[in-house]
Amino acid sequence: MTTRQDLANAIRVLAMDAVQQANSGHPGAPMGMADIAEVLFNDFMSHNPNNPQWANRDRFVMSNGHGSMLPYAVLHLTGYELPIEELKNFRQLHSKTPGHPEYGYTPGIETTTGPLGQGISNAVGMALAEKVLAAQFNQDQHAIVDHYTYVFLGDGCLMEGISHEACSLAGTLKLGKLICFYDDNGISIDGDVIGWFADDTPKRFEAYGWQVIRDIDGHDADSLRVAIADARMEHDQPTLICCKTIIGKGAPNKQGGHDVHGAPLGKDEIAAAREHLGWKAEPFVIPSEIYAGWNAKEKGAAAEQAWTAKFQAYQAAYPTEAAEFERRINGQLPANWQESAQKAIDAIIAKAESPATRVASKNALDAFAPLLPEFLGGSADLTPSNNTFNKSSKYINSNHGPSQDFSGNYLSYGVREFGMSAIMNGIALHGGFIPYGATFLMFSEYARNALRMAALMKIRNIFVYTHDSIGLGEDGPTHQGVEQTATLRMIPRMSVWRPCDGVETAIAWKAAIEKTEGPSCLILTRQNLPFQARSAEQVAHIAKGGYVLKDCEGQPDAIIIATGSELALAMGAAEQLAAKKIRVVSMPCVDVFLAQEAAYRESVLPAAVTARVAVEAGVTAGWYQFVGLQGKVVGLDTFGESAPAPVLFKHFGFTVENVKAAVESVL
């Protein structure tokens, strides 16, 4: 008779065999958490291996992503399209089993994890998305959004500061359908964690407002079943189940020590483990009775079928809401989006206003947000400065009253830039929303790894960064972005928009909304910028990332390239150089411009014109790809100073006269 222990041991042997074959990996966590995974997936998880994208599935996140062989083993055993050959190819090129779980590679993997602490933070976003989506769509007797988010995490996730940011907010928001399993095995790479991690973790989470279930034997199925059932009964608090486990359990000579954490066990220890576990099958061979005990295809299909029946009843009672739910879950924009968005942009053009681009951003949100109920916005305690609360915004949480209305669409994240960004990633991954969140450009530094993860996962996420340069002024160099815009541009798949006025800002928002294969950053000013008049053709070309804003007859003598607040300086210099043929190119988004066809790029920046100057109030290095070594960059390769913005721009040479002189020097 197949026992629960046999089912859990299947995870252990697959983990140790795959790591051994790859000669690389982490067998300790999968072997130590195998019993928890067996109880969770066989007794509680609602998921369908036949349809990994089923909208109402429970989400599972392996936050301690180095233990990737645990989810790979479970997905294989339960019947996902992950054949044993893929487990044999663990950590090999183009396999579906990369070293850490990667979203988009493996069916059933909900998010890319590995940088510790971000998986739990993504999961907070998923649980938040579930709660908001339920509040927006569920009706009496019709709960079409009703699922849990489960997380495995270890000491490393809890040591990373982002876990504090995200878990603190999760407690405040009362995300009762978030259930986390703390793998309390006392071991990390350097050895026994007591020497550097002596926190009272249960008290910490109780202080956040979580339900904490302490001292669960992570190898006892009955205790685990009771703990999970208790966690699911608590609707007003997320739950942390503290599981005492033995890392590498089953490897008799190495279990419980740090040697089992991140290295193959070795052939001798694997042989000893097989004998210790009573596992007689050869490597990568799973007995049929074990597969039968794990297989979730029929149960998953039945669960989805039951939900489909619920949804059909909902559809009959609320056809408009049902259609909207399907549109949003499928990530589709409204049918009237293009027409309505263009009308909004035309209205902005007609007004010809000259606000700061952070204000222009709010104007764009005022126009676009009514069209996009899937917007879920927020700010890291800078809403009045970031201008992200628009006419259609409704707080989920605020100091305006004790109640939390989760039918809203705007979140105060508090001073949690990294946590906010990783939570936004989780919201995007859950589906049904287009998240955007804001802070000052300088504080993108705190969030950098979450931005990279959004790009790595190719998810639509919009990061709004205001106060973009020395134009911030008196707050000084600690708050003045100098290198941030340039380094954000270096992230693959990240579109970085630095618009020069309200028109470019609105089109940048539209482009970010429409981009489905990666995130976008909007880099916005504190100070007012002048409106730039354009032809209809020029307006159409803004979306190409770079275009000719001011031209001349015939081939130019020189080209000035600029972005954001410095575009006005380029235009002023061109006017003062009236005796010369000067072209001004606005380049609000470098990566989008570089993605255009060669013929278009040549039409904007003809190779024959080598006299070129780029102007941006930031570091210069990235601009030499456009101006060449013979060109000049009017930039800032130092930190700022504390003074009013106009004083700083003059002090650092951001004047029409200096741009003019730079052009003259290259002619």
Side-chain angles (χ1 to χ4, degrees), residues 351-374:
K351 288 182 179 179
E353 295 175 332
S354 300
T357 50
R358 62 171 175 157
V359 176
S361 172
K362 181 182 179 300
N363 294 340
L365 283 170
D366 283 342
F368 293 154
L371 309 173
L372 298 169
E374 57 263 53

Side-chain angles (χ1 to χ4, degrees), residues 468-473 498 527 565-566 569 617 644-655:
D468 69 343
S469 69
I470 55 172
L472 173 72
R498 188 168 184 254
Q527 70 274 25
S565 51
E566 291 70 68
L569 302 179
V647 174
L648 291 174
F649 274 99
K650 184 175 181 180
H651 173 74
F652 286 108
F654 293 100
T655 64

Side-chain angles (χ1 to χ4, degrees), residues 426-441:
I427 293 169
L429 288 161
H430 178 278
F433 296 98
I434 299 175
Y436 67 89
T439 185
F440 286 180
L441 174 61

